[in-house]
Amino acid sequence: MSTTVSGKSGTWRNWAGNVTARPVREVAPASVEELSAAVRKAAEDGLRVKAVGTGHSFTAAAATDGVLIRPQLLTGIRNIDREAGTVTVEAGTPLKRLNVALAREGLSLTNMGDIMEQTVSGATSTGTHGTGRDSASIAAQIKRLELVTADGSLLTCSEEENPDVFAAARVGIGALGIVTAITFSVEPIFLLTAREEPMTFDKVTADFDELFTENEHFEFYWFPHTGNCNTKRNNRSAGPEKPIGRIGGWIEDEFLSNGVFQVANLVGRAAPATIPTIAKISSRALSARTYTDIPYKVFTSPRRVRFVEMEYAVPREALVETLRELKTMVDRSSLRVSFPVEVRTAPADDIALSTASGRESAYIAVHMFRGTPYQAYFTAAERIFTAHEGRPHWGKVHTRDAEYFSKVYPRFGEFTALRDRLDPDRRFGNDYLRRVLGS
């Protein structure tokens, strides 16, 4: 039975609290048939339709004043095909549930991001990624996709079936239809050894090419107002498992990375002048450690401190220069930034609007604590990123529009032409899509 909610209770907010929407009605379909019916009914009523996941996007990608589709009943694994090395899951399944279920079956995704609260469809539609020298974003691990299009019909795509749709819909920003199921490529579960260690900004940037080349997954965090970074290298391991001890793990991951960090940010928000001092202390709080565990326990980490984020992908060869410009800008400004800057990489892929489409990429993510003014910092950072032909993450704060995207995405026209074909009446449109894709 699908549930429809309307009235005042229908205000939808995203995780960061910076986007709100007031849909005419909310529908939680329990099957693909109910979802198709909801799309057709919306068309009859002249309403637009958007599906929301867990609201982890900082943009208004999922906001609607029409019909809001909540996918919480469309969850679970449909099928595991060990021979083909695939798993098919319903679109509303949270990544964390998928990771745990796969591990129980002795399987794993090859790569994943560091947050696992999102639904599989929300994460892939916005191009969510982790870090990897050879393995790419979550969307690049998709083998087959099923979506309900504007006329309520079900369309399946893969490299063999509707390949033009497959090339675009894996990162579709909700513009081509509502994803109902995703088939991912999976592999037998493996072990990763993580090595986390502090390193100076100058050393990381000087040795970046080497650190990138020598590790399967390399990432680092730079603490603004300091010359300090924290690095993390994840590489496959023959074992044995050596997980983080419960107490040590709690101290580092919960107490320092979430508890103390939350307090430090609250202090910084109340008294911005204290931020550089706090940053110097925070950047030295985490010590070096090495541990070996199954992938999701190494790739992902709890993020309980709420923030607003902007992230841009620049060509990998432009990373060091871009980052040095960012540091110079922060050092010369009166900005007070309490959140570290995160740097990751991805190989080139073949998805039309993937941030790594056709080019090896490096990601620079800037964050501000929720409730702190972020515009000045993000505007200055964005100026630097766009000078390097940066491509913003579709689910994170940015001010770019269709004209800009048509210049930095060689296959932008291919995507918009497909959208014209699949959704000519813009049933799945909203203000955000009008800005980033054009009308």
Side-chain angles (χ1 to χ4, degrees):
M1 200 36 217
S2 73
T3 50
T4 303
V5 189
S6 58
K8 286 183 182 167
S9 62
T11 299
W12 174 83
R13 274 186 183 77
N14 69 337
W15 179 81
N18 67 321
V19 177
T20 54
R22 288 179 183 78
V24 171
R25 62 175 178 259
E26 294 187 12
V27 183
S31 66
V32 174
E33 293 71 31
E34 284 187 8
L35 175 57
S36 293
V39 170
R40 284 195 294 270
K41 175 85 172 82
E44 282 167 29
D45 297 342
L47 296 171
R48 295 189 295 185
V49 190
K50 294 308 290 179
V52 294
T54 51
H56 256 270
S57 285
F58 303 92
T59 60
T64 187
D65 53 7
V67 179
L68 190 76
I69 304 286
R70 290 194 180 267
Q72 67 259 32
L73 302 178
L74 296 173
T75 62
I77 291 181
R78 270 193 202 176
N79 172 49
I80 292 175
D81 184 336
R82 289 177 187 276
E83 219 161 285
T86 61
V87 60
T88 302
V89 282
E90 304 272 344
T93 310
L95 281 168
K96 61 180 172 191
R97 277 184 39 201
L98 174 63
N99 289 336
V100 171
L102 286 175
R104 223 179 275 137
E105 298 288 340
L107 299 167
S108 176
L109 292 169
T110 299
N111 199 353
M112 51 193 85
D114 67 347
I115 295 176
M116 53 173 177
E117 305 302 317
Q118 311 100 315
T119 59
V120 292
S121 55
T124 53
S125 295
T126 52
T128 297
H129 59 91
T131 189
R133 180 189 61 202
D134 314 304
S135 55
S137 71
I138 306 176
Q141 298 170 68
I142 296 177
K143 285 286 177 214
R144 196 161 171 268
L145 200 66
E146 181 188 284
L147 65 162
V148 168
T149 55
D151 61 2
S153 61
L154 192 64
L155 177 77
T156 306
C157 62
S158 65
E159 277 173 3
E160 296 76 39
E161 191 181 1
N162 298 309
D164 56 334
V165 180
F166 188 65
R170 284 172 286 168
V171 178
I173 341 170
L176 305 175
I178 295 179
V179 176
T180 51
I182 299 175
T183 301
F184 289 105
S185 174
V186 290
E187 57 175 304
I189 203 161
F190 51 94
L191 292 173
L192 284 170
T193 292
R195 184 173 154 206
E196 297 174 11
E197 81 178 299
M199 202 178 279
T200 65
F201 180 91
D202 292 341
K203 183 163 174 56
V204 178
T205 49
D207 297 351
F208 176 72
D209 283 340
E210 206 174 304
L211 289 161
F212 165 79
T213 307
E214 288 174 3
N215 295 285
E216 289 169 69
H217 308 273
F218 176 67
E219 65 185 307
F220 66 94
Y221 295 86
W222 162 58
F223 293 82
H225 314 296
T226 78
N228 304 333
C229 294
N230 217 19
T231 64
K232 186 175 181 184
R233 301 164 227 210
N234 299 331
N235 289 289
R236 294 198 182 211
S237 160
E241 269 186 56
K242 278 207 304 221
I244 300 169
R246 272 178 68 180
I247 293 174
W250 182 84
I251 289 171
E252 295 260 329
D253 300 324
E254 281 299 337
F255 182 65
L256 291 174
S257 300
N258 285 302
V260 173
F261 191 54
Q262 170 91 13
V263 172
N265 273 284
L266 289 167
V267 170
R269 188 168 73 186
T274 61
I275 286 175
T277 310
I278 292 171
K280 287 183 177 68
I281 298 165
S282 310
S283 67
R284 296 201 186 100
L286 299 172
S287 49
R289 62 178 182 176
T290 302
Y291 51 96
T292 301
D293 215 327
I294 59 173
Y296 83 85
K297 293 186 177 175
V298 174
F299 283 133
T300 68
S301 48
R303 289 267 178 274
R304 302 193 211 290
V305 183
R306 299 207 179 200
F307 52 82
V308 178
E309 180 178 1
M310 168 185 278
E311 180 186 72
Y312 267 76
V314 297
R316 190 179 69 78
E317 60 276 13
L319 169 75
V320 172
E321 188 189 338
T322 310
L323 198 60
R324 284 179 178 150
E325 287 172 18
L326 184 69
K327 184 176 189 298
T328 302
M329 180 276 290
V330 171
D331 289 347
R332 287 180 182 165
S333 73
S334 58
L335 293 168
R336 293 292 172 257
V337 181
S338 62
F339 250 85
V341 172
E342 184 180 24
V343 178
R344 294 176 290 173
T345 67
D349 64 40
D350 63 349
I351 305 169
L353 293 190
S354 160
T355 44
S357 182
R359 76 179 187 197
E360 197 173 39
S361 300
Y363 296 93
I364 304 176
V366 297
H367 312 70
M368 274 296 221
F369 184 48
R370 186 167 81 165
T372 311
Y374 59 83
Q375 282 82 356
Y377 176 37
F378 284 12
T379 301
E382 193 171 38
R383 203 171 290 134
I384 293 167
F385 301 149
T386 53
H388 292 280
E389 294 190 346
R391 298 168 177 171
H393 188 301
W394 296 107
K396 297 176 186 177
V397 176
H398 67 88
T399 65
R400 303 294 90 193
D401 60 15
E403 190 189 348
Y404 178 84
F405 291 124
S406 67
K407 295 189 185 94
V408 296
Y409 282 101
R411 297 170 68 181
F412 188 75
E414 177 189 323
F415 187 96
T416 54
L418 181 68
R419 182 189 187 210
D420 289 342
R421 195 183 92 209
L422 291 181
D423 188 13
D425 301 327
R426 303 294 186 255
R427 185 67 47 223
F428 302 115
N430 63 8
D431 294 345
Y432 178 70
L433 290 179
R434 188 181 304 120
R435 170 163 71 96
V436 300
L437 299 176
S439 52

